[in-house]
């Protein structure tokens, strides 16, 4: 059994003496390029560190990091990266507890399932909280440090999904313990997050209203996270201390939403704890904001008129963003454009109009340092070098109700026969929606779970059609597929390995020019080359020059 020993007194004292640091209007350093946060663990620490070392903002994904960590430990942590980070955590007893529970020397049998942690509820137990805090700490710490443990000279951020409600505060806390510089959040309206960052930086309690089906907003239950209570439960109350506050960048799709956040967000200061915006267009990968006025209705199909011949939501002029107006509305805060902006001429275009730069995801997802499982990455790169790949904006795939980009790829859930052959299961639960049960208590359901279970919980079976289990599929994308058992016709049990579902932006073809093949036939390209490419047509100059004219995107 691996033990880490006693955390040094000097290091513990250094942690407990951290003072809160605020940046309410201008971030301490404004990058030109944000490497998009892609989950689950596609934006891993290696990718984020490489981009940060190039002087830009490297971003790790915090989504489901608790399960990523415990699964990597069960795989044997072959590179020793989690052990390296865990050895620096202020509470070595906590680190040792998680290792003792999940670490398997040499790795588990690939045909056996991963041991699970509990699914998130309004009352998570201490094990789940500790796993979450530890995992997010480790991922940020690894991105911010060289292999020898020395800190890098660069910025590291974390991306989280607003729709994944319950793990948010604990994830933020773990990332802040490791000194994360930026928090970036979309897939919803993160109006409460600036206040969470303020409170956590001051070692104060956080209260989060939880969206519950069947419960009015004013009566919504409140999830509470207390740094002091967390450390008391861990037996280390002396470790409850102030932390550096990271800058916060919400992801928005309209000027109206940005203005609303600047008025109503929960943070302190003249910009309500917001330090900038990422403006994301509908061509970006992952979850997209729906078109103006569009709402997916799986029960009555009232949305059908808003779909094109491929079954995709139709975006129009109302969904365009006038950059000149956005510049005036965002109170001088920096902003970055995302969605088909991974080209130097588009980067220069944004800078010329007063933007800070661009956020790019797809091109980094295929870089050598990303966490995309290599067999999947090689398959995509090989196909991309030979033909054109198709990306569908699927209104039904995500249990969140947001449109979701799906890459058409064999051996993945993008194929109807593969999707229909998958035994439905809900065993991770990050996208479960809380709902009010008939007895008044809170239950949890997901339209991607088994149809019978969803209907038993009061859901309409029509809402399950076409829904994909993103939790399991995205874990599979990163090399952590769960193994399950299902009964076959003759009553015998058969093992089933979760398959991937790849999401990319519409501009995946732009990655073709970077693909190189080495002597062993391995395809790829380094993230550093992408940074150099994006900056190739622009000489750096101070951000904030006023935009002239008008440009809609």
């Amino acid at each position: 059994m691996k033990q880490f020993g006693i955390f040094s007194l000097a290091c513990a004292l250094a942690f407990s003496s951290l003072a809160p640091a605020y940046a309410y209007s201008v971030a301490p350093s404004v990058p030109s390029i944000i490497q998009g946060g892609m989950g689950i663990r596609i934006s891993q620490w290696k990718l984020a560190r490489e981009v940060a070392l190039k002087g830009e903002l490297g971003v790790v994904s915090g989504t489901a990091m608790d399960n990523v960590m415990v699964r990597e430990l069960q795989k044997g942590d072959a590179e020793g990266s989690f052990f390296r980070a865990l050895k620096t955590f202020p509470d070595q007893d906590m680190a040792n507890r998680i290792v003792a529970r999940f670490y398997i020397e040499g790795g588990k049998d690939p045909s056996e399932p991963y041991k699970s942690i509990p699914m998130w509820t309004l009352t998570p137990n201490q094990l789940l909280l500790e796993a979450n805090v530890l995992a997010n700490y480790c991922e940020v710490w690894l991105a911010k440090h060289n292999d020898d443990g020395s800190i890098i000279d660069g910025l590291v951020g974390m991306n989280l999904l607003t729709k994944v409600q319950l793990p948010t505060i604990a994830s933020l806390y773990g990332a802040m313990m490791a000194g994360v510089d930026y928090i970036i959040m979309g897939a919803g309206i993160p109006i409460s997050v600036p206040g969470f960052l303020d409170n956590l930086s001051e070692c104060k309690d956080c209260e989060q209203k939880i969206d519950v089906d069947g419960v009015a907003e004013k009566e919504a239950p409140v999830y509470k996270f207390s740094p002091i209570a967390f450390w008391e439960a861990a037996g280390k109350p002396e470790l409850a201390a102030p932390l550096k506050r990271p800058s916060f960048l919400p992801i928005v799709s309209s000027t109206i939403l940005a203005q609303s956040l600047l008025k109503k967000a929960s943070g302190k200061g003249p910009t309500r704890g917001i330090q900038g915006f990422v403006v994301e267009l509908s061509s970006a990968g992952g979850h997209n904001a729906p078109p103006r006025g569009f709402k997916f209705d799986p029960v009555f199909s009232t949305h059908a008129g808003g779909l094109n011949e491929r079954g995709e939501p139709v975006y129009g002029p109302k969904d365009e963003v006038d950059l000149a107006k956005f510049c005036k509305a965002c109170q001088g805060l920096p902003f970055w454009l995302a969605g088909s902006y991974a080209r130097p001429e588009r980067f220069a275009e944004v800078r010329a109009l007063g933007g800070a730069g661009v956020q790019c995801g797809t091109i980094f997802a295929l870089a050598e340092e990303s966490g995309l499982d290599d067999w999947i990455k090689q398959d995509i790169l090989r196909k991309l070098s030979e033909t054109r790949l198709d990306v569908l904006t699927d209104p039904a795939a995500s249990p969140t109700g947001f449109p979701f980009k799906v890459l058409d790829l064999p051996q993945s859930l993008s194929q109807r026969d593969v999707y229909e052959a998958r035994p439905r299961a809900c065993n991770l639960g990050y996208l479960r929606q809380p709902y009010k049960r008939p007895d008044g208590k809170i239950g949890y359901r997901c339209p991607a779970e088994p149809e019978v279970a969803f209907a038993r919980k009061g859901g309409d079976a029509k809402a399950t059609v076409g829904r994909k289990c993103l939790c399991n599929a995205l874990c599979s994308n990163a090399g952590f597929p769960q193994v399950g058992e299902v009964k076959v016709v003759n009553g015998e049990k058969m093992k089933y390995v979760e398959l991937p579902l790849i999401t990319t932006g519409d501009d995946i073809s732009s990655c073709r020019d970077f693909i190189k093949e080495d002597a062993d036939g391995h395809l790829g390209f380094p993230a550093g080359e992408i940074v150099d490419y994006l900056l190739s047509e622009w000489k750096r100059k101070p951000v904030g020059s006023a935009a002239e004219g008008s440009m809609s995107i």
Side-chain angles (χ1 to χ4, degrees), residues 526-543:
E529 285 189 6
I530 305 306
V531 174
D532 293 339
Y533 165 74
L534 292 171
L535 298 175
S536 62
E537 292 188 16
W538 181 262
K539 182 179 179 181
R540 290 177 181 271
K541 61 182 180 180
V543 176

Side-chain angles (χ1 to χ4, degrees), residues 392-408:
L392 178 77
T393 305
D394 192 333
S398 175
T400 66
F402 289 106
F404 188 75
K405 287 287 194 303
V406 175
L407 179 67
D408 184 8

Side-chain angles (χ1 to χ4, degrees), residues 176-208:
M176 289 172 66
M177 285 184 64
V180 72
D181 300 298
Y182 280 83
I183 296 294
I184 304 173
M185 292 185 66
I189 304 174
I191 198 166
S192 300
V193 174
F196 298 156
L197 298 176
D198 289 344
N199 284 6
L200 292 175
S201 70
E202 298 175 356
C203 199
K204 293 180 179 178
D205 295 355
C206 296
E207 294 189 353
Q208 178 183 12

Side-chain angles (χ1 to χ4, degrees), residues 211-224:
D211 176 31
V212 177
D213 285 348
V215 177
E217 183 180 356
K218 63 180 180 181
E219 299 173 356
V222 173
Y223 168 69
K224 298 181 180 180

Side-chain angles (χ1 to χ4, degrees), residues 239-543:
L239 291 179
L243 300 168
K244 181 189 81 171
R245 185 196 191 276
S247 296
F248 180 59
L249 307 179
I251 299 174
V252 299
S253 59
S254 69
T255 302
I256 293 173
L257 178 54
Q259 290 174 317
S260 177
L261 285 167
L262 287 171
K263 292 178 181 178
K264 300 178 181 179
S266 61
K268 298 178 181 178
T271 59
R272 311 295 293 177
I274 294 170
Q275 282 70 54
F277 294 96
V278 175
V279 185
E280 189 172 85
L281 309 185
S282 61
S283 59
H287 288 95
N288 299 141
R292 193 77 62 87
F294 179 93
K295 185 175 182 180
F296 181 63
D297 179 6
V299 178
F300 299 104
S301 298
T302 56
H303 64 280
L307 303 178
N308 64 18
E309 65 278 2
R310 281 163 44 95
E312 301 173 300
V314 176
Y315 293 84
K318 290 184 178 180
D319 303 300
E320 296 176 354
V321 180
D322 186 311
L323 284 187
K325 290 182 179 178
F326 193 92
C327 283
K328 295 177 181 178
C330 67
Q331 299 185 21
L333 294 176
F335 63 90
W336 295 258
L337 270 293
S340 302
Y341 271 82
R343 295 193 297 275
E345 65 272 15
R346 305 233 52 194
F347 172 83
E349 198 174 78
V350 174
R351 290 297 298 263
L353 285 161
V358 298
Q359 174 179 283
C360 304
T362 298
I363 199 166
F364 284 116
L366 296 177
E368 294 170 357
E369 298 88 348
S370 85
L372 185 62
D373 203 1
D374 195 58
W375 77 265
I376 302 173
K377 191 185 299 182
Q378 291 302 303
D379 189 32
I380 294 173
L381 292 173
R382 183 69 62 187
K383 287 180 170 59
L384 187 60
S385 65
E386 298 170 351
T387 187
R388 179 180 177 84
L389 298 182
D390 184 48
V391 179
L392 178 77
T393 305
D394 192 333
S398 175
T400 66
F402 289 106
F404 188 75
K405 287 287 194 303
V406 175
L407 179 67
D408 184 8
L409 196 69
Q411 302 181 61
S412 80
L413 296 181
S414 66
Q415 307 302 302
R416 180 180 292 275
D417 59 336
V418 176
Y419 162 69
E420 292 179 347
R422 175 188 177 268
R424 282 184 173 243
C426 183
N427 46 29
L428 291 172
Y430 292 100
L431 294 177
R432 294 191 304 170
Q433 175 63 36
Y435 73 100
K436 185 178 180 180
R437 300 186 334 196
D439 62 4
K441 296 181 180 180
I442 302 298
Y444 304 86
R445 64 190 179 199
C446 177
E449 70 183 329
E451 296 93 331
V452 173
F454 186 70
R456 188 174 60 245
K457 297 174 184 177
D460 193 307
K462 293 179 182 178
T464 67
V465 177
R467 300 291 197 179
K468 311 293 196 301
C469 179
L470 297 190
C471 297
N472 273 299
L474 298 188
C475 278
S476 182
N477 291 355
F480 301 100
Q482 183 59 291
V483 178
E485 283 189 341
V486 294
K487 289 183 179 179
V488 293
V489 178
N490 60 7
E492 296 180 1
K493 290 184 177 181
M494 177 186 72
K495 289 192 175 180
Y496 173 84
V497 179
E498 292 285 357
L499 293 174
L501 180 71
I502 308 301
T503 179
T504 71
D506 290 340
D507 65 341
I508 185 172
S509 295
S510 66
C511 303
R512 183 180 294 116
D513 294 339
F514 301 95
I515 301 173
K516 301 180 182 68
E517 185 170 0
D518 64 20
D520 297 323
H522 193 270
L523 302 176
F525 52 86
E529 285 189 6
I530 305 306
V531 174
D532 293 339
Y533 165 74
L534 292 171
L535 298 175
S536 62
E537 292 188 16
W538 181 262
K539 182 179 179 181
R540 290 177 181 271
K541 61 182 180 180
V543 176

Side-chain angles (χ1 to χ4, degrees), residues 8-188:
S8 71
L9 177 61
C11 195
L13 289 173
F15 168 78
S16 63
S17 65
L18 285 172
Y22 301 105
Y24 287 122
S25 57
V26 180
S29 181
V30 178
S32 297
I33 297 169
I34 299 176
Q35 162 253 309
M38 300 161 286
I40 295 170
R41 223 209 188 186
I42 303 305
S43 296
Q44 67 159 331
W45 64 269
K46 292 179 183 178
L47 176 60
R49 186 175 71 176
E50 184 65 23
V51 174
L53 287 169
K54 295 289 291 185
E56 304 302 339
L57 178 56
V59 179
V60 296
S61 170
T63 304
M65 269 309 303
D66 40 15
N67 264 290
V68 167
M69 179 184 70
V70 301
R71 290 187 178 190
E72 181 60 43
L73 290 175
Q74 290 173 75
K75 288 175 68 173
D77 192 25
E79 296 182 356
S81 56
F82 270 108
F83 275 105
R84 188 154 48 89
L86 286 168
K87 286 178 182 178
T88 71
F89 191 71
D91 184 354
Q92 288 296 281
D93 291 331
M94 186 184 297
N96 282 323
R97 282 197 295 273
I98 212 77
V99 170
R101 190 177 186 101
F102 293 104
Y103 177 66
I104 299 175
E105 189 169 359
K108 75 172 186 68
D109 184 334
S111 67
E112 294 301 316
Y114 288 102
K115 185 189 297 184
S116 298
I117 54 177
M119 288 195 283
W120 279 86
T121 68
L122 280 161
T123 55
N125 63 20
Q126 185 68 10
L127 165 66
L128 183 55
L129 290 171
E130 290 184 1
N132 190 276
V133 170
L134 280 166
N136 285 282
Y137 169 88
C138 287
E139 194 74 353
V140 172
W141 188 92
L142 287 165
K144 289 183 69 70
H145 290 80
N146 293 304
D147 291 347
D148 63 3
S150 59
I151 194 165
I152 68 169
D153 181 15
L155 297 171
V156 171
M158 173 171 279
N159 180 285
L160 293 167
L161 299 179
T162 308
K163 194 69 175 178
V164 181
Q165 301 179 83
L166 295 169
T168 295
I169 304 176
S171 300
L172 294 172
Y173 189 60
M176 289 172 66
M177 285 184 64
V180 72
D181 300 298
Y182 280 83
I183 296 294
I184 304 173
M185 292 185 66

